[in-house]
Structure formats: C-alpha cells, structure tokens
C-alpha cells in the first residue's frame, strides 16, 4: 500500500509540474536515464533534456498560457516490486497562448515508473489526447 501512495504522489507531482513548468521539480520526477521517453501523440521526446526543453518548455509552454492536468481516475498496476504502470484518464483546463481562450483536452496517460534509491520515478510516459 505504501508503494501505491508513493506512486499516486508522483502522478500528482507530475500534474503540478506540468502547470508550474519549474525545471528542477520536473526533472526530479524522472529517473534521468538514457532510456527516458515521453510520447505525445505522434511525437517522441528522448532523454530528459529533450523531454523538458522540447516538450514542456517548448511545446506546452508555446501553446498554453496556463495548463492544469486533472487526473480523472488512477489505476496502478505493479509489474515487479520495483516497476509499476500508472494509467489514468485525464482532462486539461487550459488557456491558449495565442487566443487567450479556454481550451479542454481529454485523453489517456500511461506512466511507467521505477523504484529507485530516491523513491518512485517516471521512466516512460505516453499520452493520447483529443479536443473535448
């Protein structure tokens, strides 16, 4: 049960980091291994530098003045004692940077997490979203 709570906390911290876009907090969520990958629709970001600079500070920051990622129901599946999959439906509450208009996206996100000496960390993340 302790692992489930810790994984849930990582998912919550990730949602907050998407909103805050604070680099140190965002990077701290990841294992920071060579194999880190974030898949966003048809785009693949490889390595924590690409994930932060191209995805979060680039793609997300360029499109949204503000963004809230809201978890609509989390499932946690333990694969091994040190590997887990977090799966959840989500919706976003955003303000588009270009038009200043509200924007909502709904989708499904999967996070693969590894238990490290520093606690649970994201190794791989994939989400698929669409306009609501």
């Amino acid at each position: 049960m302790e692992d489930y709570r810790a994984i849930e906390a990582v998912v919550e911290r990730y949602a907050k980091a998407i909103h805050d876009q604070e680099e140190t907090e965002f990077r701290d969520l990841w294992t920071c291994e060579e194999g880190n990958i974030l898949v966003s629709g048809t785009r693949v970001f490889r390595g924590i530098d690409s994930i932060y600079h191209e995805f979060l500070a680039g793609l997300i920051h360029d499109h949204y003045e503000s963004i809230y990622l809201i978890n609509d129901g989390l499932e946690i599946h333990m694969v091994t004692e040190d590997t887990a999959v977090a799966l959840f439906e989500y919706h976003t509450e955003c303000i588009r940077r270009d038009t200043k208009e509200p924007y909502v996206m709904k989708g499904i996100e999967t996070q693969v997490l590894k238990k490290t000496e520093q606690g649970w960390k994201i190794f791989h993340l994939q989400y698929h979203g669409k306009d609501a």
Side-chain angles (χ1 to χ4, degrees):
M1 197 55 142
E2 182 179 320
D3 285 329
Y4 285 85
R5 279 188 231 118
I7 292 165
E8 185 176 34
V10 171
V11 172
E12 290 170 6
R13 284 180 55 213
Y14 178 80
K16 184 178 183 323
I18 290 294
H19 173 72
D20 295 345
Q21 299 181 16
E22 200 284 310
E23 184 173 0
T24 302
E25 175 64 18
F26 185 79
R27 285 176 179 270
D28 187 55
L29 292 165
W30 292 80
T31 61
C32 296
E33 296 177 36
E34 184 178 318
N36 288 151
I37 294 176
L38 184 145
V39 180
S40 170
T42 60
R43 294 191 61 186
V44 178
F45 302 90
R46 298 178 190 281
I48 190 62
D49 289 335
S50 173
I51 293 168
Y52 177 75
H53 291 291
E54 296 174 35
F55 171 73
L56 187 61
L59 185 68
I60 297 296
H61 179 78
D62 289 351
H63 285 91
Y64 306 109
E65 194 169 286
S66 73
I67 180 169
Y68 292 93
L69 174 64
I70 295 124
N71 170 349
D72 292 326
L74 177 64
E75 296 176 26
I76 297 171
H77 304 275
M78 299 301 297
V79 179
T80 65
E81 67 182 27
D82 63 353
T83 305
V85 175
L87 170 68
F88 58 95
E89 292 186 37
Y90 69 85
H91 73 276
T92 62
E93 294 176 1
C94 309
I95 301 295
R96 291 198 135 166
R97 189 167 297 283
D98 57 351
T99 64
K100 310 296 187 225
E101 294 177 343
Y103 175 73
V104 174
M105 183 170 54
K106 293 185 177 188
I108 298 172
E109 183 164 316
T110 303
Q111 297 180 7
V112 177
L113 300 104
K114 286 184 173 182
K115 192 174 195 176
T116 71
E117 290 180 6
Q118 295 78 37
W120 286 95
K121 303 280 185 173
I122 300 168
F123 177 74
H124 176 95
L125 189 149
Q126 181 166 352
Y127 75 91
H128 177 73
K130 62 180 180 173
D131 295 343

